[in-house]
Amino acid sequence: ASLEERKENDDVSKGGWPTAGVGKRVTGVTGEKVIPLQAPDVDAVRASLQKLADKGIQSVAIVFIHSYVFPEHEKIVAAVAKSMACFTEISMSHEVMAMVKMVPRGQTACAAAYLTPKITEYLAGFTRGFDEGLMTNVRLDFMKSDGGLTPVNDFGGHQAILSGPAGGVVGYAKTSYRPSPGNEGANPMPVIGFDMGGTSTDVSRYDGTLELVFETTTAGVSIQAPQLDIHTVAAGGGSRLFLQNGLFVVGPESAKAHPGPVCYRKNGYLAVTDANVVLGRVIPDYFPNIFGPNEDEPLDLEGARAAFRAIAGEEEATGRSIEELAWGFIQVANEAMCRPIRNLTQMRGFDITKHALACFGGAGPQHACAMARALGITKVYVHRYGGILSAYGLSMADAVAEEQEPAKEVYGVSKASG
């Protein structure tokens, strides 16, 4: 007999568990009939949670294999955790992402449990400087990784992983995707976004619609959440420079904001920014005197030159001037940033030469022309707000309401089709 035809009963086996396929049936979220074999032991759950609390753990992610269709058991565990009043964040996988595949769903719930308290902490500091009515009388939205805005009370940590770069994608999409002057009737040229910051570079592609992916792996953790298709490479203005085994190496180590590159006058590390200073692409006279231990000195050109001079004696640098060394590192950094752009275009069948390059970020314009030349791109956009285009894009983004739920459908040949 089929499962639906079996007689409902609560018989249990000798081991104390109900016999598989036998038991009281309930209707799940998808309309399917499910048989809960055994409810969680509340006392055992409380004891296990207490052990975690005793270790100082304050965030909990709750994952059951079939919670996407029957979430009641996750809710029982969450209620126990909440009643203990020792956890600041309780993430249930069916609320974070009610989809099949327990492992990525569980990892997404873990990411939410880990990151959401950080966002809550930031939000508390952000609102502390405003009147008490900010959260009740003012609409406060956050940018999600999919390029849309959402109210603060509907914002989770797993949705924030690419929220900064997502603002940049919206920014260049809104400002660069347009017909060429004098050719207004033609279709706009597809745009490659090139966002070069201090520690990394983010690249993406826009051709009228935002390109999304629905499952990604970041630092070995699978995240089931809509995200813009943004590729990141560890090359930025703060990427450190090395001569190793006969090679010019750029990154992935970063000089960070502190101490920063050598030219920041804080005993920092040789970095891409130093190469740009030595080559005259960054002109100290155009920058305020905010460097050095007391933040009252200009960029240090001579310090950057001295740092390159110090490595000029190594075997890999034999016969090269400090300018040639700096240019060699710039070429390596440019090639590292060209690769993900080729993956977004040529590897997907798009003609890269028929795209425009929209560069932004603090270091983007310093490398844009060389990048365009290497890629065969003939048009480069540099927005007047290029240094803050991610923030500018956030102000132009649309509010997005996202709903997702599991569904059950039977696929087969219908009688009508014969």
Side-chain angles (χ1 to χ4, degrees), residues 4 33 134 160 169 178 218 224 228 255 275 327 340 347 350 361 369:
E4 296 292 341
K33 297 294 184 180
L134 174 67
V169 174
R178 59 183 64 184
T218 302
Q224 277 191 332
L228 292 176
W327 176 237
M347 297 298 289
F350 299 111
C369 291

Side-chain angles (χ1 to χ4, degrees), residues 6-86:
R6 295 181 184 179
K7 181 179 179 181
E8 297 184 6
N9 60 73
D10 293 314
D11 291 342
V12 297
S13 64
K14 293 181 180 180
W17 284 79
T19 304
V22 177
K24 183 178 180 180
R25 292 161 181 76
V26 297
T27 302
V29 175
T30 61
E32 296 173 277
K33 297 294 184 180
V34 297
I35 301 175
L37 296 180
Q38 187 171 3
D41 185 332
V42 173
D43 293 333
V45 168
R46 181 175 285 105
S48 296
L49 290 174
Q50 187 60 54
K51 291 180 180 179
L52 297 178
D54 292 341
K55 295 179 180 179
I57 294 175
Q58 298 179 332
S59 297
V60 175
I62 303 170
V63 188
F64 280 68
I65 295 179
H66 302 297
S67 63
Y68 69 95
V69 67
F70 184 75
E72 301 306 319
H73 290 173
E74 282 192 356
K75 292 179 180 179
I76 292 173
V77 175
V80 174
K82 187 175 181 179
S83 68
M84 296 173 66
C86 54

Side-chain angles (χ1 to χ4, degrees), residues 334-345:
N334 288 346
E335 178 57 31
M337 295 182 289
C338 282
R339 286 193 209 107
I341 294 178
R342 294 190 183 101
N343 290 338
L344 281 173
T345 53

